[in-house]
Structure formats: C-alpha cells, structure tokens
C-alpha cells in the first residue's frame, strides 16, 4: 500500500534552538570579527578576545542572574494578568458591549468592536487573545460580511493593540537603563491613535463589501452562500462585578507607574500593586483562595519559558559583550545611518528591527537579543533611551499582523477561514499605513529629545 508523502514546508525551529543557534553564531563571530568598543562615543578597535563554547555555556547562569529584575516583574505580571483574565470579566464586558450594539449597522458595530478589542490587546495582550477571533467572525457573519472582515475584527484589532501596548516597553527600558514604564501616557496616546486608524480602515472595507460583496478581497462571493440565515446573538449582560474588575485591571497600571516614577518606589511598585489587585479581582468574581491561587500559578507558569528565554538571550549578549563584538556589530549597523538626521536614524533602527521581527517571532526573545545592540547604536547616534525603546517597539509590532511564523496570526486566520496569501495582500497596505504613522511620530519624538519622564 503506497502512501502519498506530503512535502514538508519550512518550519521555524523551536525558540530554544533559535537561541542556541544564536549563541553558536556569536561564539564563531568572536573568532573572526574585528573586536572593538565605543570609548567616549568613538569606536575603538581592540585586541580580539574569542569566547570558547564552554565559557559561553557558563554565561547562561549569569545571563539569568543579570535579568533577575526583569524576570521578577514578568512573573508577577503573568500571575496577576492570569487571574484577571481568568475571571472572564474583560471578555464579558466586550461581549456585553457587542450585544448592546447588535442591531446597529456596520458603520457603528465594526469600528466599536475593533476599538474595544484593540484596547483589550493593548492592556491584556497575549496570544491567548486568539480566542477573540470567533467573536470577530460572529460579528462579521451577523453583518453579512466576508471572512476577512471577521479576521480583521477578531485578529487585526488585538494585534494592533498588542503592537502599541503601553506596558510592553518595560523589558526594553530595563536594558536601556531608563525608568520602567516611563513614557506611559504618550504610549497610551499612540495606542488610541493606532486603534482609531485601524477602526477606520476596517470600517471602510466593511462598508465597501456591504455595498458590493464582489469587492471582497477574497476575490469571489462564494462566502456569501456559506453565511446562511443570520442567527440572533445570545444575550450578554454586563454585571456590576465585571465592570469593577475591568476598572481595577486597567486602573492598576497607572497607579503602579505613579508609585514607580513619582514616589521613587522603582520596580518594586509593580508586584506590590498587581498581586493584591489580582487577589481582590478574584474575590469580587466569587472565587475562593484555591481558585485564585490556581489561576495565579497558571499565569506565572505561562511566563516560565519566557523568563528562561530572557535569561538565555542575556547569555548571548554576554558572549557578544565579552567577546568585544557587540559594539562592532552596532558600529557597522550604524554606518548607513550615521549621515542621517537623528529622526531618520531612529526610523532606520526601527526598520532593522522590523526585518528581524520575521525571523524572531517571540517578542521576549527579540527584546532580550536585540536591545543590547540597539543601546550602543542609540548612544552612538545620539538618541535618547526612550526614543531607542520606541524605535524598537515600532519595529517589533505591526509586522506581526502578516508574519507567517507567528502562531497567533496563522492560527487566527485558520479559525476565520482566511487564506494567508489573501490576508497578506489585503493587510499589507494597513501595515504600511500604520508603520508610516509610527515613523512620523518617532521622527517627532526624536526631534524634541523625548525622555518620557
């Protein structure tokens, strides 16, 4: 009996092996790349200091130790967010808002749903939000829109919010040695603007499809026959406890950041606020201590490998630093940007990160691996630490919407029944629009010498 063998397409290696590969490459480079360091802002050649494989492996422990403060905040965040999301309150608030708007047309329901889910992605973003794709599909079906509209509502919205998440800067800020969560207010403004742009983009497309289904980016109208009879949405009521939990969840971050930056409590403020608030949210939802503890431990466990990744990436940075090639790499990466103004240089850094984003899909691995290179680049180009962080965030964010290596994107498209090639063709202009807007903002922030403090 002959079985037809399917050709295996390219599959991105597991993140562990990507990091091991990065370490091996950097070890090799310490033997062949010119050594050098920035001394008072001037790149100075040094005698080569190759790192042998055994010594590189010993750096893994030190990388973990050096990353301890970031890992501590990360684990506490994971547990606290795990409890808040585990209550289901945020989901019920979103579902309730959608139900109340059920009789509105695409001109009202589409932008509202997009904006709500973008906010969810901005404040509670993780790949668990792939669960919002069916919500987007449900809304699109009720409005008799195509599957791309459903994917836009449930996937593009959360990824847009995640790309601009105000709290997503703290790992990069720790590496840049600037106050954690500084610049939070400005980043909330950027999140709001990007969400509004996204809502407008998707609404314009939805209205076009409403007027003429043949205008669907799928290139056909076969999806119309699959809509069948429009079913009424199940009634969703927003309970007072859901509103309270949502308010506490969103409100805890500004409080912690105020204590961090204005009261001089530093990084200790974050777990000091988030852990008690998460416990309170659990009790408000009617959970007992066992249930709250279980959700918290699950949230922490979900960050366990991420914490390891940060530490391992720190070990790779130690290989580059002690092998005297980190500043060399940064120096040569800066050369094309050296003659540009600071604003365009910052945009150039974001473009470099954008390209690398496709090959390192994990946000945590990327920040730990790339920010040590971005730091000397920013210093050499005269950029503030806050601008360097924003340049990194811009490069890290929006291309996830069309990344073929991100499970969140690929899984979401599969759930919405949207072919990847059709999605990329439709979503690419959106990604470009958002990037151009972010580059304009980045240029402005650079020129005013933004420090975010």
């Amino acid at each position: 009996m002959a079985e037809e063998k399917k050709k295996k397409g390219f599959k991105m290696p597991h993140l562990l092996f990507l990091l091991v590969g990065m370490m091996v490459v950097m070890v090799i480079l310490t033997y062949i790349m010119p050594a050098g360091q920035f001394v008072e802002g001037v790149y100075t050649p040094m005698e080569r200091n190759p790192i042998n494989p055994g010594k590189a492996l010993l750096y893994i422990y030190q990388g973990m130790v050096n990353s301890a403060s970031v890992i501590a905040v990360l684990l506490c965040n994971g547990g606290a967010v795990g409890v808040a999301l585990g209550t289901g309150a945020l989901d019920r608030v979103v579902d309730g808002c959608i139900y109340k708007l059920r009789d509105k047309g695409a001109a009202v329901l589409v932008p509202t749903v997009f904006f709500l889910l973008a906010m969810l992605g901005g404040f509670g973003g993780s790949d668990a939000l792939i669960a919002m794709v069916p919500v987007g599909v449900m809304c699109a079906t009720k409005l008799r829109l195509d599957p791309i509209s459903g994917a836009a509502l449930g996937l593009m919205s959360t990824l847009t919010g995640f790309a601009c998440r105000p709290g997503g800067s703290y790992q990069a800020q720790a590496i840049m040695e600037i106050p954690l969560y500084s610049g939070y207010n400005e980043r909330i403004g950027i999140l709001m603007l990007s969400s509004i742009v996204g809502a407008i983009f998707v609404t314009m497309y939805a209205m076009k499809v409403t007027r003429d289904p043949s205008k669907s980016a799928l290139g056909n109208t076969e999806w119309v026959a699959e809509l069948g009879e429009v079913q009424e949405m199940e009634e969703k009521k927003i309970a007072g406890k859901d509103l309270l939990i949502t308010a506490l969840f969103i409100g805890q971050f500004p409080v912690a950041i105020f204590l961090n930056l204005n009261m001089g409590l530093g990084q200790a403020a974050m777990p000091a606020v988030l852990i008690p608030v998460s416990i309170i949210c659990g009790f408000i939802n009617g959970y007992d201590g066992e249930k709250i503890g279980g959700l918290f431990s699950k949230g922490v466990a979900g960050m366990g490998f991420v914490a390891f990744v940060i530490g391992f990436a720190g070990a790779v940075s130690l290989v580059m630093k002690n092998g005297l090639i980190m500043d060399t790499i940064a120096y040569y990466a800066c050369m094309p940007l050296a003659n540009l103004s600071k604003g365009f240089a910052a945009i150039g850094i974001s473009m470099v990160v954008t390209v690398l984003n496709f090959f390192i899909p994990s946000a945590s691995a990327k920040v730990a691996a790339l920010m040590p290179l971005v730091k000397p680049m920013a210093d050499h180009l005269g950029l503030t630490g806050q601008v360097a962080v924003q340049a990194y965030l811009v490069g890290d964010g929006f291309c996830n919407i069309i990344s073929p290596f991100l499970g969140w994107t690929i899984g979401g498209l599969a759930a919405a029944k949207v072919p990847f090639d059709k999605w990329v063709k439709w979503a690419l202009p959106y990604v470009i629009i958002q990037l151009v807007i972010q580059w304009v903002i980045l240029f402005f922030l650079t020129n005013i010498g933004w420090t975010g403090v």
Side-chain angles (χ1 to χ4, degrees):
M1 185 175 67
E3 290 186 4
E4 188 177 337
K5 294 183 178 179
K6 294 183 179 179
K7 292 183 179 180
K8 290 185 177 180
F10 174 76
K11 184 178 180 181
M12 183 67 71
H14 190 278
L15 188 52
L16 172 63
F17 291 95
L18 276 176
L19 290 168
V20 171
M22 287 173 63
M23 177 174 279
V24 170
V25 169
M26 293 307 163
V27 165
I28 294 172
L29 289 179
T30 63
Y31 284 88
I32 61 177
M33 181 173 280
Q37 284 184 318
F38 286 112
V39 179
E40 296 181 357
V42 178
Y43 178 74
T44 306
M46 300 281 184
E47 185 177 346
R48 188 175 283 130
N49 183 38
I51 305 297
N52 65 62
K55 191 173 184 179
L57 291 173
L58 293 175
Y59 285 148
I60 296 175
Y61 171 78
Q62 192 59 48
M64 299 283 182
V65 172
N66 293 349
S67 305
S69 60
V70 175
I71 290 173
V73 174
L74 179 73
L75 294 177
C76 292
N77 280 8
V81 171
V83 175
L85 296 183
T87 65
L90 277 72
D91 292 342
R92 289 193 292 271
V93 168
V94 170
D95 289 345
C97 290
I98 292 172
Y99 178 76
K100 289 181 181 297
L101 294 169
R102 66 192 183 281
D103 296 325
K104 306 297 182 184
V108 174
L109 188 59
V110 169
T112 303
V113 171
F114 188 99
F115 190 83
L116 283 172
L117 293 183
M119 291 300 103
L120 187 60
F123 290 101
S126 75
D127 55 7
L129 288 180
I130 193 174
M132 291 295 104
V133 173
V135 174
V137 171
M138 175 187 67
C139 293
T141 301
K142 176 172 177 57
L143 295 170
R144 304 196 70 78
L145 297 171
D146 63 347
I148 281 184
S149 299
L153 287 174
L155 179 65
M156 180 183 280
S157 58
T158 52
L159 283 170
T160 295
F162 185 76
C164 302
R165 61 200 187 282
S169 61
Y170 76 94
Q171 292 179 22
Q173 288 174 328
I175 295 172
M176 289 300 300
E177 300 176 355
I178 58 178
L180 298 192
Y181 297 102
S182 53
Y184 195 83
N185 292 335
E186 292 89 341
R187 290 191 172 95
I188 287 181
I190 292 172
L191 169 63
M192 295 291 183
L193 174 61
S194 299
S195 301
I196 291 171
V197 170
I200 293 172
F201 183 92
V202 175
T203 302
M204 289 175 63
Y205 174 75
M207 296 304 294
K208 182 173 70 173
V209 174
T210 298
R211 290 191 295 268
D212 185 357
S214 67
K215 298 294 185 181
S216 168
L218 290 177
N220 57 63
T221 55
E222 295 173 5
W223 53 271
V224 176
E226 297 178 4
L227 290 176
E229 293 294 327
V230 176
Q231 298 180 348
E232 283 297 316
M233 291 183 183
E234 187 178 340
E235 183 176 2
K236 304 286 185 180
K237 293 183 178 180
I238 304 176
K241 67 176 183 178
D242 294 333
L243 291 173
L244 181 56
I245 291 171
T246 301
L248 285 171
F249 176 74
I250 295 175
Q252 66 184 333
F253 295 106
V255 171
I257 291 163
F258 175 80
L259 294 174
N260 181 342
L261 300 177
N262 298 91
M263 302 300 291
L265 298 181
Q267 299 179 42
M270 194 59 64
V273 172
L274 265 62
I275 292 176
V277 169
S278 68
I279 294 173
I280 292 171
C281 287
F283 283 134
I284 291 173
N285 202 53
Y287 291 157
D288 59 18
E290 187 69 21
K291 179 68 173 179
I292 295 171
L295 289 171
F296 191 91
S297 63
K298 185 178 179 181
V300 172
M303 292 296 175
F305 184 67
V306 176
F308 168 80
V309 163
I310 292 171
F312 199 109
V316 176
S317 297
L318 286 173
V319 172
M320 292 189 289
K321 182 178 180 180
N322 294 333
L324 302 178
I325 63 170
M326 178 179 286
D327 287 0
T328 299
I329 294 172
Y331 172 71
Y332 285 107
C334 282
M335 288 182 68
L337 310 176
N339 295 324
L340 299 176
S341 68
K342 289 182 181 180
F344 285 111
I347 293 172
I349 291 177
S350 75
M351 288 180 174
V352 171
V353 177
T354 297
V355 173
L356 295 175
N357 185 41
F358 287 101
F359 303 100
I360 312 177
S362 167
S364 299
K366 200 160 40 256
V367 67
L370 298 184
M371 279 309 297
L373 289 174
V374 171
K375 187 177 189 302
M377 289 175 68
D379 292 341
H380 183 60
L381 295 168
L383 303 176
T384 68
Q386 201 70 257
V387 167
V389 168
Q390 190 62 26
Y392 167 79
L393 293 175
V394 171
D396 174 52
F398 286 99
C399 282
N400 288 327
I401 293 171
I402 55 173
S403 173
F405 303 122
L406 189 66
W408 186 353
T409 301
I410 298 302
L413 292 177
K417 299 180 180 178
V418 175
F420 180 73
D421 60 330
K422 300 288 187 183
W423 174 257
V424 171
K425 184 177 180 180
W426 178 78
L428 182 59
Y430 173 76
V431 172
I432 293 172
I433 289 170
Q434 288 282 18
L435 283 176
V436 169
I437 292 172
Q438 297 300 316
W439 288 334
V440 171
I441 294 171
L442 187 59
F443 186 87
F444 171 76
L445 294 174
T446 303
N447 285 335
I448 65 172
W450 182 49
T451 60
V453 179

